[in-house]
Amino acid sequence: MAKSKKEIIQELQTAMCDLEDEVVTSLIKEGIQCGMTTNEIVIEGLNPGLTIIGEGFEKNERFMSDLMIAGQIMNDALELLLPKTSMAEAEHDTGPRKGNVMVIGTVEGDLHNVGKRIVSATFGGAGIRAIDIGENKSAADFVAAVKKYKANIVGASAIIGPVTPYCKVIHNALVDAGLRDDVLFITGGWGMTEEWCNEVGADTYGETAIEGLAKVQKLLVGELPRWKDKVKKKK
Amino acid sequence: MLSFSVPQKEFKIGKITVGGTPGKNPPVLSGSIFFTGHLVVKDPEKGIFDQDKVKRQLEIDKVASEQTGLPRIIDIQGETAEALIRYTEFVAVNCDDPISIDSALPKARMQTLEHFKGSELIPRIIYNSIGYTYSEEELECIKTCGVKTAVVMPFSSKTVRPKGRIKLLNENLLAAAGRAGLENILVDTGVLDIPSISWSSKALWEIKDKTGLPCGCSPLHMVTHWEKMKARGSPCFEAAAATLLAHPLISGADFLFYGPMRNSTWVYSACATVAAMAAYGETLEGTRPISAHPLYKIF
């Protein structure tokens, strides 16, 4: 007997929590067959499981591997469900931006991608289209991506020490291109602080993907000050 | 004690041997110098450093190696080719052990190899590392420069579970290593955090079981972020950290990258003890360790 939507949602939550990637894939296919929407599968089904893992990580009950696998499961789910929201579709999207769009990349000189994928998956699960532009990306690459995908959020990942100052280069490039006022600029990576974030011109930073998402959501509705407001206040 | 389905390969890199039948050869340790934040480095772009301090550190590491019978590789980390070259030239003159050329930036690694191409240092050089983001240009450079040893790292955000790492190695990286003309492949299974060292150990056991290749990892990779244990101070912290080294060794690790060389004294002691016990265990299977093994050095 076919499962109900409610059952599938319940099982998705459990499967995500248990990091059962094959079960998740199978359930997604079942969900599609019984007419479930992407939002039902992702937001109601997978995201609660991802949130539980994220919260467990904050409490040191789940660990980095769990987070990465969960991020990958979410990524794979989004690719399965939303093939048209991949970069390929974004390439052909000539109309105005629909919803919130983030371009995210690892900065020039850095090849790490783990955190960035988790962030992409977490933001994707919250309905923010995350377009991953890849690793070792220059400021010009970020600017080009913002223009191409009509992004209103820019995420810069900088893990290794020597490259974290490059975030300031990205900020400056966005300013020079006349884009900075139209985008939220968020940074992430080991050892970032509020002070450093202000120094490089970022609106906020996230020590974890979930923290970053919460801050961006607040920024989007004006509940947190943006960098330009903080700078004005200081003057 | 340790039993694998295929014979275990043994590679000679410069003056050291890595791999082989469990219990015969001691595991190899590799301490890092010139890493980001290393206080001996004055200019990380140009590679200017305190030569006396580095010499002393190399000497302390050498003594630990000789006292315990654990061979060593010097892991040189650098942010630019200019720095890597300077560091390598210095280390090459001050010791005769194999040298791992280690940088997050492939270009820096490649330019360093180009610099030493044709030199007598090449047989001692280990390219660290070939990961899933390798380029054909990188493989061609390794081949052209005549480097025969490399660390291959089958780890990515998509291959966190041990089975994923094995798949990445077998379906992609081994072939890439072949195209690079490599003869001595050292598989580093990668370490994400402390609890998952067990996953890294499982991966290395399974890779050894299927391929016979020498395997290892960097179990102390995240230890400096272990705030809860650091807060307990010495010797709690070192005792706990030592167990991180033991886990992969008991699973058969042939080498370990142990992080900053300043930790050499306790690292070598811990690893030698585990290696000695493991080797004595293998005598039940009829394998005798070599005469220079820690089993005959530390008791």
Side-chain angles (χ1 to χ4, degrees):
Chain A
M1 199 170 86
K3 290 179 193 145
S4 69
K5 282 185 185 181
K6 194 177 173 186
E7 282 170 328
I8 292 174
I9 286 172
Q10 201 89 29
E11 289 184 23
L12 276 169
Q13 290 174 1
T14 307
M16 175 58 113
C17 234
D18 294 343
L19 302 174
E20 302 270 15
D21 39 358
E22 287 172 13
V23 173
V24 167
T25 303
S26 168
L27 285 167
I28 288 172
K29 288 176 179 167
E30 270 189 77
I32 291 170
Q33 270 181 354
C34 76
M36 286 176 75
T37 64
T38 299
N39 266 352
E40 282 172 328
I41 292 171
V42 173
I43 305 295
E44 292 180 48
L46 295 174
N47 211 44
L50 189 67
T51 303
I52 288 171
I53 291 170
E55 286 169 354
F57 180 75
E58 302 282 329
K59 290 188 276 186
N60 297 316
E61 290 167 5
R62 301 296 287 255
F63 299 95
M64 188 67 88
S65 304
D66 298 329
L67 215 58
M68 281 181 64
I69 293 171
Q72 190 56 47
I73 291 174
M74 184 61 99
N75 252 349
D76 290 346
L78 290 170
E79 278 182 33
L80 195 60
L81 283 163
L82 308 167
K84 291 186 177 180
T85 61
S86 66
M87 210 182 280
E89 192 216 31
E91 303 271 338
H92 296 105
D93 193 347
T94 53
R97 187 186 73 236
K98 297 172 201 133
N100 293 305
V101 177
M102 173 173 72
V103 293
I104 182 168
T106 311
V107 307
E108 190 174 271
D110 194 339
L111 291 173
H112 292 91
N113 72 352
V114 167
K116 170 167 66 64
R117 289 196 75 121
I118 293 173
V119 168
S120 295
T122 305
F123 277 53
I128 296 173
R129 186 203 280 191
I131 296 168
D132 189 339
I133 63 171
E135 298 81 46
N136 191 25
K137 292 300 165 187
S138 68
D141 292 328
F142 279 89
V143 167
V146 168
K147 288 178 182 173
K148 192 173 188 181
Y149 303 112
K150 305 184 201 74
N152 62 326
I153 305 166
V154 175
S157 171
I159 302 294
I160 56 177
V163 305
T164 49
Y166 197 79
C167 292
K168 191 168 176 74
V169 176
I170 295 170
H171 161 82
N172 290 343
L174 289 168
V175 169
D176 290 344
L179 296 169
R180 184 63 184 91
D181 285 349
D182 300 327
V183 302
L184 293 182
F185 181 33
I186 173 170
T187 57
W190 285 114
M192 291 202 181
T193 62
E194 185 73 39
E195 196 183 37
W196 184 89
C197 169
N198 290 337
E199 205 182 295
V200 301
D203 293 300
T204 194
Y205 76 104
E207 279 199 58
T208 66
I210 286 167
E211 185 194 353
L213 174 64
K215 285 179 175 177
V216 163
Q217 286 170 329
K218 285 190 171 162
L219 277 163
L220 284 169
V221 297
E223 284 179 14
L224 275 179
R226 294 188 53 177
W227 177 79
K228 60 180 180 181
D229 301 320
K230 288 187 252 183
V231 164
K232 255 192 211 154
K233 203 177 174 188
K234 252 191 180 166
K235 286 181 184 162
Chain B
M1 302 275 303
L2 276 174
S3 175
F4 298 108
S5 303
V6 304
Q8 298 298 289
K9 296 181 167 102
E10 201 174 279
F11 297 141
K12 195 125 173 64
I13 307 163
K15 69 176 199 177
I16 71 164
T17 300
V18 60
T21 305
K24 180 189 166 196
N25 298 312
V28 175
L29 294 187
S30 181
S32 302
I33 47 176
F34 309 118
F35 46 87
T36 303
H38 195 180
L39 295 175
V40 302
V41 176
K42 294 174 183 168
D43 184 341
E45 295 253 339
K46 292 189 167 59
I48 313 296
F49 59 94
D50 187 326
Q51 296 194 354
D52 289 336
K53 282 192 174 152
V54 172
K55 255 192 211 169
R56 274 202 297 278
Q57 200 147 77
L58 286 170
E59 187 55 35
I60 293 169
D61 191 79
K62 183 182 176 186
V63 166
S65 168
E66 286 171 349
Q67 280 180 345
T68 58
L70 294 170
R72 66 176 188 163
I73 292 167
I74 313 299
D75 181 53
I76 294 175
Q77 296 190 7
E79 297 173 15
T80 65
E82 187 182 354
L84 270 176
I85 289 165
R86 262 208 180 90
Y87 300 151
T88 305
E89 282 174 342
F90 180 83
V91 169
V93 158
N94 284 282
C95 73
D96 58 359
D97 305 276
I99 292 170
S100 152
I101 304 295
D102 191 350
S103 174
L105 306 169
K107 225 175 193 160
R109 299 194 298 260
M110 287 156 63
Q111 286 169 352
T112 305
L113 291 198
E114 300 272 358
H115 178 83
F116 290 106
K117 182 179 170 182
S119 75
E120 55 188 26
L121 191 58
I122 287 290
R124 285 167 59 188
I125 283 180
I126 300 169
Y127 186 81
N128 191 357
S129 55
I130 294 176
Y132 76 100
T133 56
Y134 70 84
S135 66
E136 291 302 320
E137 187 195 355
E138 192 178 359
L139 304 181
E140 187 57 35
C141 174
I142 294 168
K143 190 173 182 180
T144 313
C145 294
V147 169
K148 296 299 175 192
T149 309
V151 174
V152 170
M153 186 180 259
F155 183 87
S156 75
S157 58
K158 293 188 179 187
T159 58
V160 176
R161 290 186 170 115
K163 64 181 181 187
R165 301 183 213 191
I166 294 153
K167 192 167 187 251
L168 176 57
L169 181 73
N170 283 337
E171 293 181 6
N172 188 342
L173 297 183
L174 283 182
R179 293 197 297 281
L182 291 164
E183 293 170 1
N184 308 323
I185 295 164
L186 309 177
V187 182
D188 180 343
T189 55
V191 167
L192 197 52
D193 60 9
I194 290 169
S196 68
I197 288 171
S198 52
W199 293 24
S200 307
S201 296
K202 184 167 167 66
L204 77 85
W205 188 93
E206 295 199 9
I207 290 169
K208 284 172 68 67
D209 187 55
K210 287 182 177 48
T211 69
L213 289 169
C215 290
C217 60
S218 310
L220 298 184
H221 173 55
M222 295 300 289
V223 81
T224 50
H225 298 280
W226 197 3
E227 297 302 331
K228 227 172 187 171
M229 198 54 75
K230 275 161 73 177
R232 294 185 192 178
S234 208
C236 295
F237 178 70
E238 285 80 5
T243 66
L244 309 185
L245 299 158
H247 196 288
L249 286 175
I250 289 164
S251 301
D254 302 287
F255 64 88
L256 295 179
F257 286 96
Y258 71 80
M261 202 179 269
R262 65 173 177 265
N263 294 321
S264 58
T265 43
W266 61 267
V267 166
Y268 276 87
S269 301
C271 293
T273 309
V274 177
M277 289 189 289
Y280 195 59
E282 294 302 336
T283 61
L284 295 170
E285 311 302 322
T287 302
R288 283 268 155 209
I290 59 171
S291 59
H293 198 279
L295 180 63
Y296 306 119
K297 292 258 186 180
I298 66 168
F299 298 111

